[in-house]
């Protein structure tokens, strides 16, 4: 038997055994409680990174633990395979996106299998598979029938580098979330999903997801953005159509001194006068390059331009100028804002910049009166109304309702509810995506592709040039098609779906990946769904996670499944971080390019930068494949699980990896060196002394690890507890009579570590004489009786201050406790020369001696 652990040989052995025996294949089993564990599936970039290792190791611990607890565990894996990177890579390498994608999938599958992840690989699929596209297209057609999909002209976020539309959620600080280039605004015909139809339900159900992090729920509530207010119509001087405004502050209407419109507002053209046209055009050109999210932030400079038109304040009758302002968006309310500079900070800054009037209409109670000329910022608090006609003197909160009612009586406004959430634009101008199954006919209009003609497949012979627009729009063989209604020559839709569509329902398809009669086998899906535990990054809070919730509700209403929510519990794992290193001459350096704090290329001293998320751009990355080659998969898994709690960022530490490798070696030797002792021992009987202590430590560890894993996912403390048990095993001086208690401790150690380092534990389980896999023997149970100690430690106080500790037998009465406390030498020092007035005993905890 080898005295040193050999990860390469042992890991390959057990990975092959698991595959041959189909250990992780699962089918519906009504006799077992189901448990659906899922990590967000990866994009097939070709190489796994440490973020993958951590994310999938976390999920694998839970999956293996639940199997050992007797659950029927569904733990699938697949590939989020469509998207711009594949198209860009195809252009760069002169290959086809499909070839690039499937080769990457093959490569990453091998890498993931090397980690020993317990996936049911028979459920694997890629979202670019024609069969998956077929059913996604059918879901779209069903949504079209229900009025949940539609096409309209819209101002969109346009990435000039990717040459495609981006959802608001895909724009980060003014830049494309994928390529990081600046985003522009563009008017295009787009397909939309009517997510707003589900706004109330999406919001209401955030209160029914106790297993989700509150931070994620708060982000979704904010993104949905439900607000109660009033819609008011301002007439336009000399115009026939009024401007509608949504406001949550009708109490400030008397203070509206100008109007601010979004540059994208449909009334802009009719409001701009000839005198202002040049200035307005220049302003619109500037705003088109500004990110929508940045425009609403407090940091971006407030910019605007006068249209030349005036509207009328319905309460004061004043004519107020109509401006276009960069901080107003069509995505919220009506795209028009009544500007009240005295009581809104953005309006205040805008009014100061453009020398517009400021009128105070709310005076704070108990403070000096606000004087517009002396104000340095807007007053946004409460108070009593002033300069507000018949409403003067009323508390502003009361006035909200009364002014809204007054407007309603006059037909100039009404109370309403508004949402920040906007319908989801799903059209993308690229090749590598699911084609949108619509045909445009001059006679029939937009015609759905008949179900029997699905899937609409991508043509293989496209020319990918990287030039603007979708290559499908230039492919006549794809575009030209007969109209399915009238037979005339027609044209296909050349846009493809946003890749978030694919990831919005893949989790349901895992329940029935081979089902050929429709998108979902309702019985199978209802058996497995919802996902019991979902694991992924916080960055998906208002994109993937919100869309997946929406899609689940749509599929429910299409009678394809019965659940309301896709994920019962959500864990958002932290990032893997590493210190950055930079050479003055060669820039960012990989860890292997640095030796003794110097660049190996030029010898210059390296500047140590911040510890931040691992990224290829800053080269602060570690190749998991090299890590596995050097230490083995179990060490890579163990470090990623032990170095930090799952929800916290993990800081890479080479010494930490070495420490995990040494620990695995200690576990190995603990079994191998005691193998002969425990091989033919008798069953465990009564134990005492040191053996009783090891017995107690074993059961304490089983209890602690079970509680740390189950629901709390405190993997780092669970591993630390097993390390303590290993120390106790090494410290125990075993004799032949102690074989049974040593075997108990060794078996518990191996079974508790099995979810974390499965290859090692399978091998050690075999060394201990078992023929069947370790998971089949279940999770160890602790014995409550074994947790009880024969002695307890009491705190001894003198006049309420701790002066010593004493050990007494468990269950000792007050007389024994008192005698032990009074006999303690250190306690006697504090009692010297004093008289004992009272002794207070608290069984199992303390003795307090009162002296004077």
């Amino acid at each position: 038997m080898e005295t040193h652990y050999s990860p390469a040989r042992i890991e390959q052995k057990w990975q092959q055994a698991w595959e041959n025996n189909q250990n992780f294949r699962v089918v519906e089993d009504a006799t077992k409680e189901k448990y659906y564990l899922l990590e967000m599936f990866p994009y097939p970039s070709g190489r796994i990174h440490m973020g993958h290792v951590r994310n999938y190791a976390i999920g694998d611990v839970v999956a293996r633990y639940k199997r050992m607890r007797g659950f029927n565990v569904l733990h699938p894996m697949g590939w989020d395979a469509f998207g711009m990177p594949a198209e860009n890579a195809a252009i760069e390498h002169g290959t086809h996106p499909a070839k690039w994608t499937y080769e990457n999938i093959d490569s990453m599958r091998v890498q993931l299998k090397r980690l020993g992840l317990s996936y049911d690989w028979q459920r694997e699929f890629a979202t670019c598979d024609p069969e998956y596209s077929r059913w996604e297209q059918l879901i779209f057609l069903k949504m079209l029938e229900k009025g949940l999909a539609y096409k309209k002209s819209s101002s969109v976020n346009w990435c000039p580098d990717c040459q495609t539309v981006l959802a608001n959620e895909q724009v980060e600080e003014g830049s494309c979330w994928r390529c990081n280039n600046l985003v522009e605004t563009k008017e295009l015909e787009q397909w939309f999903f009517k997510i707003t139809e589900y706004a109330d339900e999406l919001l209401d159900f955030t209160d029914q997801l106790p297993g989700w992090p509150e931070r994620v729920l708060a982000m979704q509530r904010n993104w949905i953005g439900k607000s109660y207010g009033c819609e008011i119509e301002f007439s336009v001087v000399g115009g026939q159509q009024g401007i509608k405004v949504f406001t949550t502050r009708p109490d400030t209407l008397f203070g509206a001194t100008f109007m601010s419109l979004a540059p994208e507002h449909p009334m802009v053209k009719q409001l701009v006068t000839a005198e202002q046209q040049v200035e307005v055009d220049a302003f619109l050109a500037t705003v088109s390059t500004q990110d929508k999210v940045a425009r609403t932030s407090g940091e971006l400079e407030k910019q605007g331009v006068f249209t030349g038109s005036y509207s009328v304040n319905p309460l004061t009758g004043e004519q107020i100028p109509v401006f276009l302002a960069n901080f107003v968006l069509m995505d919220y309310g009506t795209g028009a804002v009544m500007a009240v500079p005295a009581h809104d900070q953005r309006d205040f800054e805008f009014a100061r910049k453009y020398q517009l009037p400021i009128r105070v209409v709310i005076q704070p109670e108990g403070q000096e009166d606000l004087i517009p000329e002396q104000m340095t910022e807007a007053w946004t608090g409460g108070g009593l109304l002033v300069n507000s006609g018949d409403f003067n003197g009323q508390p502003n909160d009361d006035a909200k309702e009364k002014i809204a009612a007054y407007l309603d009586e006059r037909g100039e406004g009404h109370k309403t509810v508004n949402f920040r959430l906007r319908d989801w634009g799903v059209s993308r101008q690229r090749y590598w995506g699911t084609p949108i199954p619509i045909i445009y006919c001059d006679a029939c209009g937009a015609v759905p592709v008949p179900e029997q003609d699905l899937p609409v497949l991508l043509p293989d012979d496209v020319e990918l040039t990287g030039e603007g627009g979708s290559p499908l729009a230039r492919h006549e063989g794809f575009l030209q098609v007969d109209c399915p209604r009238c037979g005339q020559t027609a044209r296909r839709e050349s846009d493809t779906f946003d890749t978030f569509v694919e990831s919005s329902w893949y989790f349901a398809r895992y329940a029935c990946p081979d089902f050929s009669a429709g998108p979902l086998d309702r019985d199978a899906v209802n058996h497995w769904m919802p996902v019991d535990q979902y694991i992924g990054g916080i960055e998906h809070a208002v994109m993937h996670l919100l869309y997946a919730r929406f899609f689940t509700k749509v599929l429910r209403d299409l009678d394809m499944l019965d659940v309301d929510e896709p994920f019962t519990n959500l864990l958002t794992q932290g990032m893997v971080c590493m210190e950055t290193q930079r050479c003055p001459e060669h820039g960012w350096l990989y860890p292997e390019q640095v030796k003794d704090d110097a660049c190996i290329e030029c010898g210059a001293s390296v500047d140590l930068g911040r510890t931040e998320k691992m990224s290829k751009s800053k080269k602060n990355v570690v190749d998991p494949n090299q890590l596995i080659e050097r230490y083995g998969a179990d060490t890579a898994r163990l470090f990623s699980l032990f170095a930090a709690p799952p929800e916290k960022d993990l800081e890479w530490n080479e010494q930490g990896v070495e420490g995990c490798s040494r620990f695995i070696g200690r576990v190995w030797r603990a079994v191998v060196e005691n193998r002969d002792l425990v091989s033919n021992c008798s069953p465990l009987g009564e134990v005492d002394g040191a053996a009783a202590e090891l017995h107690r430590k074993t059961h304490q560890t089983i209890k602690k690890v079970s509680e740390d894993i189950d629901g709390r996912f405190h993997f780092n403390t669970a591993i630390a507890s097993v390390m303590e048990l290993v120390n106790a095993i090494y410290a125990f001086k075993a004799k032949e009579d102690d074989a049974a208690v040593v075997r108990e401790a060794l078996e518990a150690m191996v079974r508790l570590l099995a979810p974390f380092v499965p290859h090692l534990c399978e091998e050690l389980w075999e060394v201990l004489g078992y023929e069947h896999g370790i998971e089949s023997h279940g999770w160890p149970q602790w014995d409550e009786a074994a947790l009880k100690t024969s002695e307890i430690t009491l705190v001894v106080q003198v006049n309420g201050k701790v002066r010593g500790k004493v050990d007494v037998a468990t269950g000792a009465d007050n007389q024994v406790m008192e005698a032990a406390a009074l006999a303690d030498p250190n306690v006697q020092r504090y009692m010297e020369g004093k008289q004992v007035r009272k002794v207070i005993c608290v069984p199992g905890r303390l003795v307090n001696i009162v002296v004077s």
Side-chain angles (χ1 to χ4, degrees):
M1 190 72 201
E2 298 178 45
T3 56
H4 295 285
Y5 179 56
S6 175
R9 178 186 64 80
I10 290 170
E11 289 176 0
Q12 184 177 15
K13 167 187 171 180
W14 287 105
Q15 287 165 18
Q16 190 62 56
W18 295 331
E19 188 165 338
N20 291 344
N21 298 331
Q22 296 186 2
N23 285 52
F24 313 123
R25 186 181 181 188
V26 66
V27 295
E28 293 92 285
D29 184 347
T31 66
K32 289 184 177 181
E33 186 176 353
K34 71 93 179 177
Y35 191 85
Y36 186 176
L37 185 285
L38 183 64
E39 308 95 9
M40 294 181 186
F41 63 169
Y43 179 80
S45 60
R47 297 185 71 83
I48 65 171
H49 52 67
M50 285 307 300
H52 288 131
V53 174
R54 189 184 192 203
N55 189 22
Y56 302 142
I58 289 169
D60 201 51
V61 169
V62 181
R64 288 177 178 274
Y65 169 75
K66 289 293 184 179
R67 279 194 210 93
M68 293 179 76
R69 293 296 300 264
F71 286 85
N72 194 33
V73 177
L74 172 57
H75 189 204
M77 172 53 68
W79 312 96
D80 191 8
F82 274 134
M84 236 14 242
E87 202 163 320
N88 292 339
I91 295 167
E92 181 181 350
H93 300 295
T95 187
H96 193 279
K99 182 175 185 293
W100 187 86
T101 298
Y102 282 109
E103 286 177 353
N104 284 352
I105 288 173
D106 291 340
S107 175
M108 288 184 70
R109 186 189 304 109
V110 170
Q111 295 170 60
L112 291 179
K113 285 186 175 183
R114 285 192 70 188
L115 283 169
L117 302 168
S118 60
Y119 293 128
D120 181 354
W121 284 104
Q122 293 192 336
R123 292 177 182 264
E124 175 192 12
F125 60 78
T127 57
C128 61
D129 293 343
E131 193 70 1
Y132 192 83
S133 295
R134 173 190 180 188
W135 300 125
E136 182 166 293
Q137 290 169 351
L138 180 61
I139 292 170
F140 166 80
L141 296 180
K142 297 296 183 184
M143 292 175 71
L144 191 64
E145 290 175 8
K146 290 271 191 177
L148 295 173
Y150 65 94
K151 193 173 189 181
K152 70 171 183 177
S153 178
S154 173
S155 175
V156 297
N157 303 306
W158 176 260
C159 176
D161 189 66
C162 295
Q163 289 288 303
T164 192
V165 171
L166 303 175
N168 290 343
E169 300 91 330
Q170 294 168 316
V171 180
E172 300 175 348
E173 297 181 359
S175 299
C176 172
W177 74 304
R178 283 209 182 275
C179 71
N180 210 36
N181 284 336
L182 287 176
V183 170
E184 300 173 355
T185 301
K186 192 172 184 178
E187 195 78 18
L188 285 177
E189 287 279 323
Q190 296 285 291
W191 283 98
F192 287 84
F193 284 160
K194 205 167 185 180
I195 191 173
T196 53
E197 190 80 8
Y198 290 82
D200 270 317
E201 187 180 352
L202 288 167
L203 182 63
D204 292 343
F205 269 76
T206 60
D207 294 327
Q208 300 180 41
L209 296 171
W212 283 45
E214 181 55 36
R215 181 184 174 195
V216 174
L217 296 173
M219 292 169 74
Q220 290 208 0
R221 291 180 190 120
N222 181 62
W223 193 259
I224 295 168
K226 185 175 185 178
S227 54
Y228 297 88
C230 191
E231 188 175 277
I232 306 169
E233 182 161 342
F234 287 66
S235 61
V236 175
V237 176
Q240 295 181 347
Q241 182 182 357
I243 301 172
K244 291 183 178 179
V245 168
F246 172 80
T247 180
T248 59
R249 297 294 306 274
D251 53 318
T252 64
L253 180 52
F254 281 90
T257 58
F258 61 96
M259 178 81 71
S260 298
L261 264 64
E264 304 85 3
H265 198 286
M267 290 183 64
V268 169
K269 289 183 179 179
Q270 67 191 69
L271 290 170
V272 177
T273 62
E275 294 81 5
Q276 291 296 111
Q277 190 67 60
V278 173
E279 195 174 346
V280 168
D281 287 345
F283 172 76
L284 292 175
T286 299
V287 174
S288 69
T289 64
Q290 295 176 346
D291 165 44
K292 286 186 178 181
V293 176
R295 279 167 54 187
T296 62
S297 72
E299 288 134 24
L300 190 70
E301 180 188 1
K302 307 296 179 291
Q303 295 174 313
V305 64
F306 179 44
T307 62
S309 293
Y310 292 84
S311 63
V312 178
N313 185 316
L315 292 187
T316 66
E318 294 174 293
Q319 294 186 9
I320 58 176
V322 179
F323 276 73
L324 306 185
N326 66 339
F327 59 85
V328 183
L329 301 179
M330 281 302 299
D331 289 346
Y332 184 76
T334 64
V337 174
M338 64 173 209
V340 185
H343 304 291
D344 180 275
Q345 187 59 31
R346 292 185 308 176
D347 296 342
F348 180 85
E349 293 172 14
F350 194 89
R352 282 281 192 252
K353 180 173 181 176
Y354 293 100
Q355 299 180 335
L356 296 165
I358 297 175
R359 179 185 300 125
V360 173
V361 293
I362 298 175
Q363 287 289 0
E365 294 185 78
Q367 300 183 35
E368 291 186 12
D369 285 352
L370 300 172
I371 301 173
E373 295 75 19
Q374 297 176 5
M375 293 175 69
T376 58
E377 61 182 1
W379 172 256
T380 57
L384 301 178
L385 263 60
V386 296
N387 300 319
S388 299
D390 294 339
F391 299 95
N392 281 344
Q394 296 187 16
N396 72 293
D397 283 338
D398 294 344
K400 287 180 182 178
E401 290 292 325
K402 292 178 180 179
I403 290 177
Y406 180 66
L407 290 168
D408 192 39
E409 287 175 11
R410 296 173 46 164
E412 294 174 326
H414 60 274
K415 288 196 291 186
T416 188
V417 176
N418 189 69
F419 290 91
R420 180 187 176 207
L421 182 69
R422 286 294 178 262
D423 284 340
W424 174 15
V426 296
S427 294
R428 297 296 180 264
Q429 293 68 44
R430 61 162 176 257
Y431 166 73
W432 192 236
T434 301
I436 298 176
I438 292 292
I439 294 170
Y440 298 105
C441 172
D442 290 341
C444 305
V447 181
V449 173
E451 184 176 340
Q452 65 269 20
D453 293 341
L454 299 178
V456 177
L457 296 174
L458 294 167
D460 292 329
D461 57 342
V462 293
E463 183 181 3
L464 297 172
T465 64
E467 296 176 1
S470 170
L472 292 176
R474 302 187 296 271
H475 193 289
E476 288 302 317
F478 174 79
L479 289 174
Q480 288 192 10
V481 63
D482 291 340
C483 173
R485 284 186 184 164
C486 68
Q488 294 184 18
T489 300
R491 294 178 72 81
R492 289 194 188 277
E493 170 66 74
S494 61
D495 285 353
T496 53
F497 284 128
D498 177 10
T499 54
F500 278 105
V501 177
E502 280 83 69
S503 60
S504 292
W505 70 287
Y506 78 106
F507 42 85
R509 183 67 182 176
Y510 275 144
C512 51
D514 299 321
F515 188 61
S516 59
L520 299 173
D521 178 342
R522 187 167 181 169
D523 290 339
V525 173
N526 287 337
H527 175 84
W528 290 112
M529 288 290 288
V531 175
D532 294 282
Q533 182 65 60
Y534 199 39
I535 302 172
I538 188 76
E539 67 271 17
H540 297 293
V542 292
M543 290 189 287
H544 163 57
L545 289 170
L546 185 63
Y547 296 154
R549 294 183 60 220
F550 160 64
F551 237 73
T552 300
K553 296 175 189 301
V554 169
L555 293 173
R556 175 201 64 196
D557 293 347
L558 293 175
D559 294 325
M560 294 184 186
L561 49 73
D562 292 342
V563 300
D564 296 315
E565 289 286 338
F567 316 120
T568 302
N569 297 289
L570 172 69
L571 171 67
T572 53
Q573 88 283 355
M575 298 180 294
V576 181
C577 303
M578 188 177 185
E579 194 173 53
T580 54
Q581 302 176 96
R582 190 179 181 89
C583 170
E585 181 179 348
H586 295 97
W588 301 111
L589 299 175
Y590 289 109
E592 58 268 25
Q593 293 177 300
V594 179
K595 185 176 182 180
D596 299 327
D597 297 327
C599 173
I600 63 173
E601 300 293 332
C602 65
S605 295
V606 170
D607 296 324
L608 297 180
R610 295 186 305 166
T611 296
E612 49 189 292
K613 179 183 177 181
M614 285 187 175
S615 67
K616 291 180 182 178
S617 61
K618 294 189 176 178
K619 300 185 177 180
N620 61 332
V621 294
V622 173
D623 185 351
N625 297 300
Q626 293 179 8
L627 186 67
I628 293 170
E629 287 291 338
R630 183 176 176 185
Y631 295 104
D634 279 344
T635 294
R637 290 170 60 117
L638 189 65
F639 172 76
S640 68
L641 296 164
F642 178 59
E647 71 279 5
K648 302 293 184 183
D649 289 347
L650 182 156
E651 185 174 340
W652 177 262
N653 182 297
E654 189 71 33
Q655 291 73 34
V657 178
E658 291 276 3
C660 288
S661 180
R662 288 195 300 271
F663 172 68
I664 285 176
R666 292 194 80 211
V667 172
W668 174 263
R669 292 191 301 276
V671 174
V672 171
E673 291 171 4
N674 286 289
R675 182 186 183 189
D676 292 339
L677 173 68
V678 305
S679 58
N680 292 302
C681 61
S682 303
L684 181 65
E686 291 292 328
V687 289
D688 56 18
E693 286 299 321
L694 181 58
H695 178 60
R696 185 177 303 111
K697 184 66 176 177
T698 297
H699 287 268
Q700 288 173 342
T701 305
I702 295 171
K703 185 174 189 291
K704 179 71 164 61
V705 173
S706 301
E707 292 173 347
D708 280 350
I709 294 178
D710 210 354
R712 299 194 306 202
F713 299 161
H714 292 178
F715 303 141
N716 55 327
T717 56
I719 295 167
S721 295
V722 182
M723 288 178 172
E724 291 179 10
L725 176 60
V726 173
N727 291 338
I729 293 171
Y730 272 91
F732 181 65
K733 305 303 180 185
K735 303 184 293 293
E736 190 172 335
D737 292 346
D738 300 319
V741 75
V742 173
R743 184 176 184 92
E744 178 191 49
L746 292 173
E747 288 190 3
M749 173 190 73
V750 174
R751 291 164 80 185
L752 294 174
L753 284 174
F756 302 94
V757 284
H759 310 89
L760 168 74
C761 294
E762 288 279 22
E763 185 71 12
L764 291 179
W765 198 243
E766 191 175 82
V767 170
L768 286 169
Y770 291 101
E771 294 182 0
H772 300 291
I774 193 168
E775 283 192 2
S776 67
H777 289 264
W779 188 253
Q781 302 298 311
W782 69 86
D783 181 357
E784 287 289 347
L787 301 178
K788 296 177 181 177
T789 59
S790 57
E791 288 189 338
I792 56 173
T793 299
L794 301 175
V795 173
V796 182
Q797 299 175 337
V798 177
N799 289 345
K801 294 185 178 180
V802 177
R803 298 305 186 191
K805 294 181 180 180
V806 295
D807 293 329
V808 298
T810 301
D813 60 21
N814 288 1
Q815 186 176 357
V816 173
M817 293 169 60
E818 181 178 331
L822 292 172
D824 183 76
N826 194 52
V827 172
Q828 289 177 352
R829 283 197 308 113
Y830 289 95
M831 294 168 48
E832 192 174 345
K834 298 175 182 177
Q835 185 175 355
V836 177
R837 298 295 185 185
K838 185 190 296 185
V839 178
I840 303 169
C841 296
V842 181
R845 290 180 54 200
L846 61 84
V847 177
N848 184 24
I849 303 169
V850 181
V851 299
S852 62

